[in-house]
Amino acid sequence: MTPEQYVQQKAAASGSSFYYAFLFLPRPRRAAITAFYAFCREVDDVVDETTDAGVAQTKLAWWKSEVAQAYAGKPTHPVMQALMPHSAEYDIQQHHLQAIIDGCQMDLEQTRYLDFPGLQRYCHLVAGVVGEVSARIFGQTQAATTDYAHKLGLAFQLTNIIRDVGEDALMGRIYLPVNELQQFDVKAHEILKRTYSDRFTALMRFQAERAHRLYDEAMAVLPEADRRAQKPGLMMASIYRTLLREIERDNFQVLHQRNSLTPIRKLWLAWKVQALGRV
């Protein structure tokens, strides 16, 4: 299997909303974003699929070394072999990849966030930086597009957090800020035991409203000159925001189930943005 085949398989197997947006890109950009996304999946899987924290730490340390080695001209992993030919053209820098690994490292060291600024730092590493690199690959020409990418990445990550509250609780993780749990009088043990209440619903509505504000802010700061190039991000925004609205319509029944959209619906939402240019 070639490195290109490896990353294609890795991206397709994830079933992620991101994959559907890649399908509409020209071949060189599609190859770059697929390799970059496969890298993100690899390091994220270290945390999600490795039960021993010590082993996960060792694996992430290996990835940090592999990234440094790749930028020194000696990649050994198929993901880095597929990604490095695109790094110069799309200005994918070593610090971007190392930051994403640092974000995954936070998952091993921290299961609570005291306030939103603390959570925001984590989201910046695992999603904002991903948005920044993706915007470059998609064809960014305006500096302001980086701000759009960071805001959109944060909105995506907050949507993920809302969707995965119950799933994360099974692993002992609560990403909802502690001071906001206190604000709505929701106890950590209620979430860990996956207990619903009107207080929990109000807390989740507060989280959803913030995510919606970030989607709106991202769209507002996207320069018109880059709007066409950034269509893949807009496709993902359409898919993620539709998912968020589904969760809201379901009254935030996220403690015992993981909401998702069907592949055909994701493809339809992506196609609408491609054809009509609307989110």
Side-chain angles (χ1 to χ4, degrees):
M1 183 185 296
T2 67
E4 289 70 29
Q5 289 169 332
Y6 180 93
V7 297
Q8 176 66 31
Q9 198 172 87
K10 186 78 179 177
S14 73
S16 167
S17 305
F18 289 73
Y19 180 71
Y20 295 88
F22 303 165
L23 299 175
F24 296 90
L25 282 167
R27 187 181 295 272
R29 296 188 191 277
R30 188 165 72 243
I33 196 66
T34 300
F36 174 61
Y37 180 69
F39 166 80
C40 295
R41 288 260 38 99
E42 289 283 353
V43 295
D44 193 51
D45 287 349
V46 168
V47 176
D48 289 344
E49 297 177 4
T50 307
T51 53
D52 186 309
V55 172
Q57 293 273 17
T58 301
K59 287 184 175 181
L60 288 182
W62 182 89
W63 271 106
K64 289 187 83 71
S65 173
E66 169 66 8
V67 167
Q69 194 170 307
Y71 276 85
K74 299 174 184 175
T76 62
H77 194 283
V79 161
M80 296 309 298
Q81 290 171 346
L83 181 58
M84 291 316 295
H86 306 287
S87 60
E89 183 174 1
Y90 300 114
D91 195 23
I92 307 168
Q93 298 176 26
Q94 182 178 170
H95 72 83
H96 292 131
L97 306 189
Q98 299 288 10
I100 294 165
I101 299 172
D102 288 342
C104 292
Q105 182 95 22
M106 287 181 72
D107 271 328
L108 298 177
E109 299 167 350
Q110 197 167 342
T111 58
R112 303 285 192 280
Y113 292 88
L114 292 178
D115 52 26
F116 184 64
L119 178 63
Q120 201 167 0
R121 178 177 174 272
Y122 164 75
C123 292
H124 171 72
L125 294 173
V126 299
V129 174
V130 174
E132 180 180 338
V133 173
S134 299
R136 294 178 184 207
I137 294 172
F138 296 155
Q140 174 180 350
T141 64
Q142 308 295 309
T145 299
T146 299
D147 186 31
Y148 147 83
H150 286 166
K151 286 182 183 295
L152 194 58
L154 179 56
F156 289 162
Q157 192 62 24
L158 294 181
T159 302
N160 284 339
I161 287 170
I162 291 166
R163 178 195 63 194
D164 296 340
V165 170
E167 212 169 72
D168 290 331
L170 290 174
M171 295 184 284
R173 298 179 190 160
I174 301 176
Y175 290 96
L176 306 173
V178 171
N179 68 340
E180 293 175 6
L181 265 68
Q182 293 170 340
Q183 179 183 338
F184 289 89
D185 194 27
V186 175
K187 306 295 188 286
H189 71 82
E190 292 177 302
I191 292 178
L192 294 174
K193 291 179 180 176
R194 301 195 291 173
T195 304
Y196 291 101
S197 66
D198 291 341
R199 292 170 287 107
F200 173 77
T201 303
L203 169 66
M204 298 309 294
R205 189 169 292 114
F206 177 81
Q207 305 299 320
E209 286 168 358
R210 176 161 54 206
H212 279 304
R213 281 197 303 274
L214 282 157
Y215 282 114
D216 290 339
E217 288 171 14
M219 299 307 151
V221 299
L222 174 60
E224 192 60 39
D226 270 357
R227 191 171 182 85
R228 184 179 182 84
Q230 297 303 317
K231 269 189 178 181
L234 298 176
M235 291 174 189
M236 291 184 281
S238 178
I239 293 168
Y240 265 74
R241 205 165 188 182
T242 299
L243 172 63
L244 180 58
R245 288 176 178 135
E246 290 280 310
I247 293 169
E248 288 175 301
R249 272 195 289 270
D250 206 23
N251 206 30
F252 302 100
Q253 299 294 298
V254 292
L255 290 173
H256 69 291
Q257 66 185 21
R258 188 179 193 268
N259 294 67
S260 62
L261 305 180
T262 63
I264 193 67
R265 192 169 180 197
K266 290 177 183 177
L267 190 59
W268 167 246
L269 289 167
W271 179 85
K272 278 208 300 184
V273 174
Q274 175 67 16
L276 307 176
R278 294 201 305 267
V279 177

